[in-house]
Amino acid sequence: MRHSPELPYFRPHLVTAGEVAPGDLLALSDADVATDRWFVVLHAEPESRASSESRAEIRFTLRPPLGGTDHDELLPPDAPVTVACRRLDVDRIPRVTSTDLTTVTFRDGDRITTLRVVDPRATEESYVRRWSRWYRDLESQSEQPLTDDELTAQAEQAAAEGHLIRHHPRPRRSAGGVAPRRVVVTGLGAITPLGVGVPELWRGLLEGRHGIRELTGAEFAGLPVQVAGTVPVDPAGLLERTRARRMNRAAQLAVVAAREAWTDAGFAPAGTAGSDLDPERTGVSAGAILGDASVLVEGDRRLREKGPRGIGPLTLPMTVSSQAASQVSLALGITGEARTVSSACASGTEAIGQAVDRIRYGHVDVVLAGGAEAVVTPAILAGFAAMRTLSRLALADGTPSRPFAADRDGFVVGEGAGFLLLEAEEHARARGARIYCEAAGWGLSADAYHEAAPDPSGTGLALALRRALRDAGAHAVDVVHVNAHATGTPAGDRAEADALRTVLGGRVPVTALKGHFGHLQGAAGGVEAVATALTLHHGLIPPTLGCEEPDAELELDVVTKGPRALPSPGDVALSNSFGFGGHNAVLALRRGGDQ
């Protein structure tokens, strides 16, 4: 904050010292004018004469215009000086001294300001301490931070050159008011083309395996693209047979993943009834675009072949995209809420974000949140192929899904489900739960650009990134990792890279997982959030499969070839999801449960 008074005008002109009055802005020499070295006249009075021969002089008491300490100058009345404006309110100019930083014990959150107080038009420079380093801009990672010793030495030099140095301790938290609750992740569940369960997902990511396969069914013959990321088992075989027959494939995937997250969090497999949980304080939040498109396609085929009698009574319940959320609630006896979010490929991430808010503000205590999708059908593949968004690279040459790679040419359709068990922190700690990380915040935005193509400027994506950081109470310098959406399309990856550089700079390690299992559509955000939580928990970033040669024009630090240790300092990882129509969602997770 500046201490500058309001200047009526700033027009330097020469006068004699005898013409100067209190309130004038005074420069003592031409050199002072050239270097913007000014003082406000507080008092002006004749100096008492020691003898009749002594020359009359005027004693001026001066203070820097932006505040500081006073000093006196003796000038003869006819001495030429420069004034720049009159009638400054001297009572508004503070008398302050610089802080001796060698006596201060620094803490994160402290602020140091430096201001060249002799320049009435100077602006204050501020450094904030975070992660035991001093940052001039918490929203940029392009500048190297300073150590305590470096900042102290720099401040001492500035003080010697006429700067005012002030130490501002971090604000104390108020004990009053009701703050939103912290939300933590206590359980993880996934079923993906890499296999069943979170351990299979994590091993596959670290080992650099992919689950993209050729589609050999007769229904896929003749399609221009015949590969997809498919789950290697029939999810119906992992569920009770009668229940599985009443679910579409996406709901089956959702129940498998949600049950794993549920039991991973330490709850009983039977659901709320056996877990000492209030079912009314427990919820489900699932993202999906179509859920399972095959049910609708099959229903249309039966109608054409057999007429209305060919349509079974479960066709409609199994068609709606909300079936995944409803079947998870049925399977676990959850009655608090079962919401479905459909915002294209951002659905899973937005579903998690909405669940965070539901817990934060006391509506529920526990939520299973994520996404599920099963859209590997001929019609969907043909539609994406018509849009020229699918990769045509050969499976024999490795994964055809190549995010951020110089030779990327499109995405690969995939299926799967991923869920986080989110819980109010006090609820989790009361039962002694293991905490993977904190679900610290999230952000949304819309491109308002095109029904399918991303805004090439990346401004919408950047807005979602900034909002997620702000919602988490974090800054760019806190980010240690980004799990990128990066589908492998030339335009989409470029827009995301531009947004990441704009908000974070190019120094944050980035990984993208669609080379391992393709684009899971509405489930992508759920599975990638699971991977991001594991990255924070294990301190290890999985590599970006398929990116043998990163696109140098993107100017990102893409993690390739093998896992990389999570950097320090910092504690926030971002999981990005962007969808057709300009839907942008970003989830911010914070390392550990005790920060």
Side-chain angles (χ1 to χ4, degrees), residues 133-474:
R133 295 290 186 271
W134 293 91
Y135 294 87
R136 186 158 46 184
D137 182 2
L138 291 176
E139 305 310 332
S140 172
Q141 298 221 14
S142 60
E143 185 176 307
Q144 284 286 356
L146 302 175
T147 65
D148 291 342
D149 290 343
E150 289 170 338
L151 182 76
T152 299
Q154 184 171 302
E156 288 177 350
Q157 178 64 33
E161 296 171 357
H163 287 67
L164 178 70
I165 310 299
R166 303 297 302 278
H167 169 249
H168 307 269
R170 70 182 184 193
R172 294 187 180 274
R173 293 182 179 177
S174 171
V178 178
R181 301 189 297 179
R182 288 181 75 199
V183 181
V184 296
V185 178
T186 58
L188 303 173
I191 178 169
T192 73
L194 290 174
V196 179
V198 168
E200 280 299 302
L201 169 65
W202 189 238
R203 275 195 295 271
L205 295 179
L206 296 184
E207 293 170 1
R209 290 189 283 109
H210 74 81
I212 296 172
R213 302 170 176 84
E214 289 191 19
L215 301 171
T216 57
E219 68 272 26
F220 297 107
L223 291 178
V225 174
Q226 298 178 32
V227 297
T230 55
V231 172
V233 301
D234 182 359
L238 305 174
L239 302 169
E240 192 269 322
R241 182 178 177 185
T242 302
R243 294 300 310 163
R245 292 175 59 188
R246 306 176 75 85
M247 304 180 198
N248 63 34
R249 184 176 176 88
Q252 293 169 355
L253 295 169
V255 171
V256 170
R259 275 184 169 168
E260 182 186 17
W262 183 264
T263 56
D264 184 49
F267 295 125
T272 56
S275 302
D276 195 25
L277 280 177
D278 182 352
E280 295 182 6
R281 300 288 301 171
T282 308
V284 180
S285 184
I289 305 175
L290 296 174
D292 184 351
S294 66
V295 176
L296 189 59
V297 172
E298 176 64 14
D300 183 69
R301 184 187 67 79
R302 286 176 176 271
L303 179 64
R304 285 185 281 106
E305 291 180 357
K306 301 181 180 180
R309 294 181 179 275
I311 303 300
L314 292 176
T315 300
L316 284 180
M318 292 175 63
T319 297
V320 295
S321 58
S322 60
Q323 211 207 26
S326 66
Q327 288 292 343
V328 171
S329 72
L330 279 167
L332 297 170
I334 294 171
T335 62
E337 55 189 41
R339 66 176 56 239
T340 298
V341 176
S342 185
S343 51
C345 306
S347 300
T349 298
E350 185 175 345
I352 296 170
Q354 289 195 15
V356 169
D357 279 351
R358 299 297 288 173
I359 297 172
R360 268 179 177 171
Y361 299 107
H363 299 286
V364 286
D365 300 319
V366 176
V367 180
L368 278 164
E373 202 84 73
V375 291
V376 181
T377 64
I380 296 296
L381 290 170
F384 280 133
M387 295 174 67
R388 302 180 184 276
T389 58
L390 294 184
S391 174
R392 303 295 182 94
L393 296 172
L395 188 59
D397 297 329
T399 176
S401 177
R402 300 178 183 179
F404 293 135
D407 62 346
R408 67 189 186 280
D409 72 335
F411 66 82
V412 173
V413 176
E415 64 176 3
F419 278 81
L420 309 179
L421 195 292
L422 301 177
E423 198 168 347
E425 182 186 30
E426 63 266 30
H427 189 279
R429 295 199 183 280
R431 66 184 187 87
R434 179 259 333 273
I435 294 175
Y436 284 102
C437 59
E438 178 190 356
W442 65 300
L444 291 178
S445 71
D447 283 351
Y449 175 77
H450 189 271
E451 53 270 8
D455 183 346
S457 72
T459 54
L461 313 183
L463 177 59
L465 288 163
R466 290 192 182 99
R467 284 178 168 171
L469 289 175
R470 186 164 61 246
D471 191 49

Side-chain angles (χ1 to χ4, degrees), residues 11-86:
R11 190 174 61 197
H13 56 283
L14 282 171
V15 297
T16 63
E19 298 176 87
V20 175
D24 280 351
L25 192 61
L26 176 69
L28 298 172
S29 66
D30 290 343
D32 284 351
V33 174
T35 58
D36 283 319
R37 183 177 173 83
W38 299 86
F39 297 93
V40 176
V41 178
L42 301 182
H43 303 288
E45 56 186 21
E47 180 72 355
S48 60
R49 300 180 181 182
S51 68
S52 59
E53 290 79 20
S54 63
R55 186 181 180 190
E57 292 184 317
I58 301 173
R59 180 177 294 276
F60 293 97
T61 302
L62 306 177
R63 184 179 297 173
L66 301 187
T69 56
D70 301 344
H71 76 281
D72 289 350
E73 293 281 350
L74 284 172
L75 297 173
D78 58 351
V81 293
T82 302
V83 293
C85 62
R86 292 181 181 272

Side-chain angles (χ1 to χ4, degrees), residues 491-578:
D493 287 11
R494 187 178 304 113
E496 185 174 8
D498 288 348
L500 289 173
R501 289 199 314 275
T502 297
V503 177
L504 304 175
R507 296 166 56 193
V508 176
V510 176
T511 193
L513 305 182
K514 291 180 175 64
H516 295 270
F517 40 65
H519 188 352
L520 306 188
Q521 310 296 308
V527 171
E528 288 160 13
V530 169
T532 307
L534 290 168
T535 294
L536 290 174
H537 183 65
H538 294 294
L540 204 58
I541 304 172
T544 302
L545 189 63
C547 190
E548 296 300 320
E549 183 185 347
D551 186 344
E553 292 184 359
L554 301 183
E555 300 179 55
L556 292 178
D557 179 16
V558 181
V559 179
T560 61
K561 303 186 186 307
R564 185 192 299 182
L566 202 64
S568 180
D571 64 348
V572 170
L574 302 176
S575 182
N576 297 345
S577 293
F578 313 126

